[in-house]
């Protein structure tokens, strides 16, 4: 090395200077090697890991065990680089940004995954989703399947929920590398019941079970008072505020907005990214079909397996029995055609390469597919809160403003549980009819904004 040969030699301090330099260099080298070795956990989920039929915890037990068997040193070493307060939320609870009607405050980037910014530069699409505390366990499987950047908007009302949320985030980030690395979190709080205590560093008990995300959450949430739970039932969850918050914290051009219990198919992020590389359509929405899945099965590896399940009655289009308009326009009859070996694009079903299967030709009001689009699409109108008219009104506005909906194959998403029509709780019906009234105003505004009425919605307007 050239440094050792510095001019040297005669005076003693020169010798010590040289050794300091050598030490510093070798230190840097070792640190570098150490950092490199952190990437030894594979990004692609090995098939074996999801060879599972469990219901809600879908055998995370196996997953965690396998990781430990294969890579013991990675798992332990991997915890070290986290600084002690890496898990505490970055926000001042007395600040925040108000919505248009001053009923919620939001906080951006309260917790940022260690690779979120890097992933946002390499991927073209970010998955945006939102959740209240009690549903957050669903994020685990989503994050295992989606290898790109993710933006998750969280909701917390009052100090009890806020504390459970913080503890559970520590658990999620401790147990799941996918969440620790890829997710950026944002937060929304209601004006009526804001958390008052500033975020803190929470310690977890020594023994935590990384294989039980749902049970762990339920245990934490069991300490929430019934007064608080009842307050939540009486007050709406601001779905559209949350969607906008999640969307706008994504840093990529394209956003895939889902609900937290919608699970992407394997390799969806990589395959989509490749598809979008050649996309230059500003007003295209790429629809990714959603199936509901029997909870006794494992998540299907690919479209072929999904269709096999569907033929056995173990999977079917999302909401088919509950509310068929939800995805009817996607046209599953068309979408199924490429499974036949004689189909022109059957090869894509085998390789997993994404292509446009067909265009949506019979758009109808109340259609609400999950889609990928450039995030210049209309925002979600925040007057719609709680159940009903939240997502489909945004899709409706896209349609009025001239978006084309194109259905992709062979990718899909899954939702656990075959849904049957149940009687709805009274609060849900109340929220729905409140939103129906809002819709009367909304549709007139949309008409005034674009001067188009392709679905003849203004015919009966008063
Ligand atoms: C689809 O998944 C099934 C079940 O795991 C597997 O046997 C098959 O080889 C997969 N097909 C393709 C084309 O990858
Ligand atoms: C994921 O998709 C990409 C792009 O279509 C493909 O090249 C790759 O082989 C796929 N990986 C897996 C594990 O299926
Ligand atoms: C679905 O596609 C078939 C075949 O192309 C077509 O005949 C039918 O009208 C379509 N249905 C809907 C709801 O788009």
């Amino acid at each position: 090395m050239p440094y050792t040969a510095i001019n040297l030699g005669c005076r003693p301090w020169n010798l010590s200077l040289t050794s300091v330099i050598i030490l510093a260099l070798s230190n840097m080298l070792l640190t570098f090697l150490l950092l490199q070795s952190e990437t030894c956990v594979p990004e692609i989920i090995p098939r074996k890991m999801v060879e599972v039929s469990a219901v809600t915890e879908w055998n995370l037990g196996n997953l965690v065990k396998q990781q430990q068997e294969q890579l013991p040193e990675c798992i332990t070493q991997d915890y070290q680089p986290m600084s002690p307060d890496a898990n505490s939320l970055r926000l001042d609870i007395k600040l925040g940004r108000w919505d248009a009607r001053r009923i919620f405050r939001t906080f951006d980037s309260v917790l940022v995954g260690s690779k979120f910014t890097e992933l946002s530069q390499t991927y073209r699409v970010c998955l945006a989703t939102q959740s209240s505390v009690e549903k957050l366990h669903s994020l685990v499987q989503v994050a295992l399947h989606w290898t790109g950047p993710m933006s998750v908007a969280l909701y917390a009302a009052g100090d009890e929920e806020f504390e459970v949320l913080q503890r559970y985030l520590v658990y999620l980030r401790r147990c799941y590398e996918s969440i620790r690395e890829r997710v950026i979190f944002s937060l929304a709080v209601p004006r009526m019941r804001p958390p008052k205590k500033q975020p803190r560093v929470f310690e977890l008990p020594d023994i935590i079970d990384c294989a039980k995300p749902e049970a762990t959450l339920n245990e934490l949430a069991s300490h929430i008072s019934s007064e608080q739970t009842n307050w939540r039932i009486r007050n709406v969850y601001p779905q559209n505020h949350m969607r906008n918050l999640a969307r706008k914290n994504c840093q990529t051009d394209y956003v895939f907005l889902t609900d937290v219990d919608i699970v992407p198919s394997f390799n969806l992020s990589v395959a989509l990214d490749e598809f979008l590389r050649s996309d230059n359509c500003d007003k295209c929405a790429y629809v990714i079909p959603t199936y509901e899945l029997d909870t006794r099965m494992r998540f299907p590896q690919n479209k072929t397996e999904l269709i096999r399940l569907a033929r056995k009655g173990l999977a079917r289009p999302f909401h088919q029995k509950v509310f068929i308009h939800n995805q009817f326009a996607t046209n599953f009859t068309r979408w199924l055609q490429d499974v036949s070996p004689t189909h022109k694009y059957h090869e894509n079903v085998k390789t997993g390469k994404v292509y446009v299967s067909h265009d949506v030709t019979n758009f109808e009001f109340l259609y609400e597919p999950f889609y990928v689009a450039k995030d210049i699409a209309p925002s979600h109108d925040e007057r719609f809160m709680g159940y009903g008219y939240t997502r489909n009104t945004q899709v409706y506005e896209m349609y009025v403003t001239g978006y084309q909906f194109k259905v992709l194959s062979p990718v899909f998403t899954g939702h656990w549980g075959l849904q049957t029509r149940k009687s709805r709780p009274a609060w849900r019906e109340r929220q729905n009819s409140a939103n129906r009234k809002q819709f009367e105003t909304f549709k007139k505004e949309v008409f005034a904004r674009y001067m188009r009425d392709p679905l003849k919605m203004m015919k009966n307007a008063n």
Side-chain angles (χ1 to χ4, degrees):
M1 297 230 296
Y3 284 103
T4 52
I6 305 175
N7 252 338
L8 7 110
C10 27
R11 278 188 278 159
W13 64 263
N14 251 347
L15 191 62
S16 41
L17 181 66
T18 311
S19 25
V20 165
I21 290 170
I22 290 170
L23 271 175
L25 282 175
S26 57
N27 205 344
M28 279 160 66
L29 181 71
L30 284 174
T31 311
F32 178 73
L33 288 175
L34 194 68
L35 287 176
Q36 288 296 83
S37 67
E38 247 191 277
T39 57
C40 57
V41 177
E43 277 285 323
I44 308 281
I45 305 155
R47 297 252 143 135
K48 259 199 298 175
M49 242 153 57
V50 280
E51 213 80 22
V52 195
S53 56
V55 182
T56 41
E57 311 281 7
W58 32 270
N59 250 357
L60 268 171
N62 280 5
L63 162 77
V64 173
K65 270 189 228 105
Q66 275 186 13
Q67 280 193 350
Q68 284 167 351
E69 278 159 22
Q70 288 168 2
L71 312 147
E73 75 286 14
C74 283
I75 294 287
T76 42
Q77 181 217 59
D78 191 76
Y79 291 147
Q80 290 165 2
M82 287 184 84
S83 71
D85 65 350
N87 275 317
S88 78
L89 303 186
R90 247 193 355 214
L91 65 103
D92 182 338
I93 203 65
K94 298 206 182 80
L95 301 177
R97 178 190 151 100
W98 288 99
D99 71 322
R101 290 182 295 166
R102 294 185 72 82
I103 45 182
F104 297 97
R105 270 181 302 145
T106 59
F107 302 84
D108 293 328
S109 356
V110 295
L111 198 51
V112 184
S114 59
K115 295 197 174 151
F116 176 79
T117 43
E118 184 188 324
L119 289 169
S120 299
Q121 279 153 18
T122 49
Y123 279 84
R124 285 167 186 76
V125 54
C126 159
L127 184 143
T129 193
Q130 35 87 28
S131 181
S132 53
V133 180
E134 67 275 7
K135 288 190 176 170
L136 193 51
H137 59 88
S138 299
L139 183 62
V140 173
Q141 195 178 19
V142 173
L144 278 171
H145 288 209
W146 182 267
T147 53
M150 272 175 281
S151 161
V152 180
L154 303 166
Y155 179 79
D159 282 315
E160 287 180 74
E161 278 189 14
F162 192 43
E163 180 169 330
V164 170
L165 179 67
Q166 291 176 75
R167 286 187 194 279
Y168 194 56
L169 285 172
V170 176
Y171 167 83
L172 288 179
R173 287 170 47 100
R174 167 99 66 89
C175 287
Y176 307 106
E177 180 182 54
S178 49
I179 294 180
R180 194 161 69 235
E181 290 186 348
R182 302 174 199 148
V183 181
I184 188 169
F185 290 98
S186 50
L187 176 73
V189 303
R191 175 192 193 123
M192 295 283 286
R193 184 168 287 218
K196 296 201 176 77
K197 293 186 188 147
Q198 294 292 356
R200 283 186 287 146
V201 180
F202 286 94
E203 298 297 333
L204 289 178
D206 289 339
I207 302 162
I208 52 165
D209 192 342
C210 288
K212 292 205 163 83
E214 186 170 7
T216 304
L217 178 58
N218 290 343
E219 158 58 23
L220 287 173
S222 68
H223 303 293
I224 292 179
S225 67
S226 53
E227 189 277 330
Q228 168 64 28
T229 311
N230 290 333
W231 187 89
R232 275 291 304 285
I233 293 171
R234 287 196 314 274
N235 291 273
V236 289
Y237 175 76
Q239 310 206 8
N240 280 359
H241 289 77
M242 304 302 290
R243 292 187 174 120
N244 290 330
L245 181 59
R247 280 172 61 177
K248 296 306 171 190
N249 271 284
C250 277
Q251 302 298 323
T252 54
D253 282 348
Y254 292 87
V255 167
F256 178 34
L257 178 78
T258 62
D259 288 341
V260 73
D261 49 7
I262 298 296
V263 183
S265 55
F266 290 103
N267 206 25
L268 178 57
S269 38
V270 177
L272 259 185
D273 183 64
E274 189 185 290
F275 169 77
L276 293 172
R277 194 172 302 174
S278 55
D279 178 61
N280 52 15
C281 176
D282 277 351
K283 282 200 168 176
C284 287
Y286 297 105
V287 172
I288 298 175
T290 305
Y291 273 73
E292 50 191 45
L293 308 166
D294 192 304
T295 48
R296 290 167 301 177
M297 308 316 292
R298 64 170 193 183
F299 194 93
Q301 297 293 312
N302 50 44
K303 184 168 175 177
T304 314
E305 192 182 333
L306 172 72
I307 301 313
R308 203 178 308 130
L309 290 181
R311 290 198 179 121
K312 291 187 198 145
L314 298 167
R316 66 184 174 218
F318 186 46
H319 273 18
Q320 194 179 51
K321 293 273 155 78
V322 182
F323 187 67
I324 193 163
H325 304 292
N326 183 288
Q327 281 195 101
F328 188 66
T330 294
N331 201 343
F332 286 87
T333 319
R334 280 290 298 277
W335 192 70
L336 290 177
Q337 286 172 357
D338 61 12
V339 180
S340 148
T342 52
H343 192 275
K344 188 176 164 207
Y345 288 100
H346 184 64
E347 195 58 27
N348 291 58
V349 176
K350 292 205 280 195
T351 59
K353 193 170 151 63
V354 173
Y355 78 104
V356 174
S357 157
H358 58 280
D359 289 358
V360 169
T361 49
N362 292 302
F363 189 99
E364 57 178 352
F365 179 58
L366 298 181
Y367 183 41
E368 53 176 7
F370 294 106
Y371 63 80
V372 174
K374 287 191 182 159
D375 203 41
I376 50 177
S379 63
H380 285 73
D381 194 298
E382 294 179 357
R383 285 171 298 181
F384 297 109
M385 296 196 294
Y387 275 93
Y389 295 87
T390 56
R391 223 151 42 74
N392 53 32
T393 42
Q394 192 271 346
V395 172
Y396 168 69
E397 184 172 347
M398 286 171 85
Y399 184 67
V400 173
T401 172
Y403 271 81
Q404 280 189 301
F405 290 81
K406 293 169 176 289
V407 183
L408 298 185
S409 182
V411 286
F412 58 94
T413 57
H415 180 280
W416 288 114
L418 300 180
Q419 317 242 311
T420 47
R421 204 183 267 275
K422 296 187 252 312
S423 60
R424 292 184 169 180
W427 57 264
R428 205 166 148 159
E429 209 39 67
R430 267 200 310 279
Q431 295 180 357
N432 199 53
S433 56
N435 283 338
R436 195 176 303 125
K437 290 198 194 101
Q438 294 280 4
F439 179 69
E440 290 304 314
T441 315
F442 176 79
K443 75 179 183 193
K444 288 177 204 157
E445 289 177 4
V446 168
F447 177 66
R449 197 171 303 146
Y450 305 107
M451 287 315 236
R452 295 184 69 229
D453 186 21
L455 295 182
K456 306 276 175 283
M457 299 291 284
M458 297 304 293
K459 218 168 47 184
N460 303 319
N462 33 40

